Amino acid sequence: MANASSPLRPSSHWTGWGQWLALITMTVDHLTRYVLPWDLSWAGSSIGRIAFPLFAAMVAWHGLFNTRNPLRYSRRILIIGLVAQVPYMLMPRASDALILNVCFTLASGLALGTLVRQGWQHYQQQTLGFGWLLLGAAVGVTLWYLLGFWVEYGHNGLLLIPLLMFAMHALSQAGSHFQSRLWAGLAAFPVLWIAGQMNASDMAKSFTVATCLVVLILAAGAARRVAPVQLAMPRRLWLAWYPGHFALIALWLLVSGQLAI
């Protein structure tokens, strides 16, 4: 697969736009769910369903094309998740079960996808035997199964990033031959299927699947047509927004008497 130095690496300008869109849609989802007094559940089932697949797509994209060390990138996401976990746990929920926030889903999905890629590459290079490959696959499936009960978006959320990485790679390197294009199209199908399983309502499913479809089209070559974003997101804002906005929501709920600690 392509790495950060590969000449086949596609343009990543779209991720600059994606950062703004992901933060805006995520914030709209959380404000309508936890803060605003009106029933705006339609916003969470539409605009709010763009955020997670977009975050997952950017993580998969950077893990494939823009970093030499995806596991280190995964650790950085995990650190954000650790910082955000306490304010995240203060959000009102229907269940008291312990759930790890979405950063754990993104970090674990990227780690699983990266280890699968690396294991397959070593097997192709004959530096890893078939028995060890099967053992690694069994360990990966076990970790996926166990983690799926503890992270936000569950088993489907954990699968989305590895499937996106597989599909993005196939689409970005598909040539003009019918067979390669057919293979790339088949690689995209599991992404759309998993995206369709992640929500209950038809509206939510539609927005999640549509977001994944747009990202796959970008991977297929449309990314080179995207111009750079005019206002790049400051790095500190990007890193601090997820834990910070949960902390502000928790403070608001506490001040307004909706949260008891």
Side-chain angles (χ1 to χ4, degrees):
M1 287 190 179
N3 55 37
S5 63
S6 172
L8 296 176
R9 181 181 59 173
S11 169
S12 295
H13 289 158
W14 74 270
T15 60
W17 299 93
Q19 287 181 319
W20 287 108
L21 181 59
L23 289 192
I24 290 170
T25 54
M26 176 188 69
T27 305
V28 167
D29 181 26
H30 294 163
L31 287 178
T32 56
R33 189 185 310 179
Y34 303 123
V35 177
L36 299 181
W38 315 288
D39 182 10
L40 296 173
S41 56
W42 63 267
S45 296
S46 55
I47 298 171
R49 296 309 94 198
I50 295 173
F52 176 71
L54 191 52
F55 277 117
M58 289 189 290
V59 167
W61 187 279
H62 290 312
L64 268 175
F65 303 120
N66 294 335
T67 179
R68 293 182 180 276
N69 193 335
L71 293 179
R72 184 172 60 187
Y73 178 37
S74 175
R75 289 195 296 270
R76 291 202 299 267
I77 300 172
L78 186 61
I79 291 172
I80 298 173
L82 289 170
V83 174
Q85 185 62 22
V86 171
Y88 173 80
M89 291 172 63
L90 294 175
M91 298 300 103
R93 303 188 187 282
S95 171
D96 293 331
L98 173 64
I99 296 294
L100 300 174
N101 65 68
V102 73
C103 288
F104 289 86
T105 313
L106 297 173
S108 301
L110 176 58
L112 288 171
T114 299
L115 292 174
V116 168
R117 289 180 62 233
Q118 291 179 349
W120 182 249
Q121 288 173 343
H122 282 297
Y123 175 70
Q124 288 183 312
Q125 297 165 3
Q126 298 183 346
T127 56
L128 183 70
F130 184 68
W132 287 108
L133 183 68
L134 288 179
L135 178 61
V139 171
V141 170
T142 302
L143 290 175
W144 164 78
Y145 179 76
L146 295 175
L147 281 171
F149 295 106
W150 295 94
V151 297
E152 195 172 4
Y153 292 100
H155 294 97
N156 290 332
L158 286 173
L159 271 181
L160 187 59
I161 291 179
L163 292 177
L164 278 167
M165 294 173 74
F166 178 65
M168 286 174 172
H169 173 255
L171 289 166
S172 66
Q173 298 201 10
S176 58
H177 298 295
F178 173 78
Q179 185 175 1
S180 63
R181 290 184 177 274
L182 177 62
W183 171 247
L186 292 175
F189 175 77
V191 174
L192 302 178
W193 187 84
I194 283 292
Q197 307 304 308
M198 291 178 58
N199 299 285
S201 72
D202 290 339
M203 179 184 292
K205 291 177 184 289
S206 298
F207 274 81
T208 302
V209 171
T211 302
C212 289
L213 180 60
V214 169
V215 173
L216 294 175
I217 292 172
L218 290 168
R224 62 176 176 268
R225 301 179 182 273
V226 179
V229 65
Q230 297 301 309
L231 179 61
M233 179 171 292
R235 177 175 173 79
R236 291 182 180 179
L237 178 64
W238 176 244
L239 296 176
W241 189 274
Y242 185 73
H245 91 288
F246 271 133
L248 290 175
I249 291 174
L251 180 62
W252 169 259
L253 294 176
L254 181 62
V255 170
S256 62
Q258 301 177 57
L259 179 65
I261 299 181

